[in-house]
Amino acid sequence: MKFLIAFVALFAVVAHLNAAPLNAQQQATVQIVRSDSDVGPEGYNYAYETSDGTSAQATAKLLNAGTDSEALSVQGSYQYIGDDGVTYSVQYIADENGFQPQGAHLPVAPEA
């Protein structure tokens, strides 16, 4: 359970750092349009959307509960409108293999 809480906190920080910075006027006018969440011992899910076009959603499942190979598997996405007016979208998986993002604006490693 501690791992779940730590992971959720880490994800919130990463999502916040990836969001485009807002000027003072934008910060004063951005409203939460939708916010849903459900957290349980075997996983969680959440979704939110704001009036400035930012949104995110994720679903997590606890795998191998109570074993030495216990792991959290998360699938989600987020999007925001950048300073250049372009909407940036990222889909990701975060599991025992690490954070694996995909997005049209992200570089792709060459095939080995």
Side-chain angles (χ1 to χ4, degrees), residues 25-92:
Q25 182 181 9
Q26 289 172 318
Q27 288 176 354
T29 62
V30 174
Q31 302 291 318
I32 297 172
V33 175
R34 180 174 63 96
S35 178
D36 301 307
S37 67
D38 181 28
V39 178
E42 300 296 318
Y44 66 87
N45 62 65
Y46 73 87
Y48 69 83
E49 184 177 346
T50 62
S51 61
D52 68 347
T54 300
S55 64
Q57 66 83 30
T59 300
K61 295 179 184 176
L62 183 62
L63 306 176
N64 306 313
T67 69
D68 288 343
S69 59
E70 184 174 275
L72 193 62
S73 177
V74 181
Q75 291 186 337
S77 64
Y78 60 90
Q79 73 174 25
Y80 62 94
I81 300 172
D83 289 340
D84 55 4
V86 174
T87 299
Y88 294 93
S89 298
V90 176
Q91 296 77 39
Y92 64 88

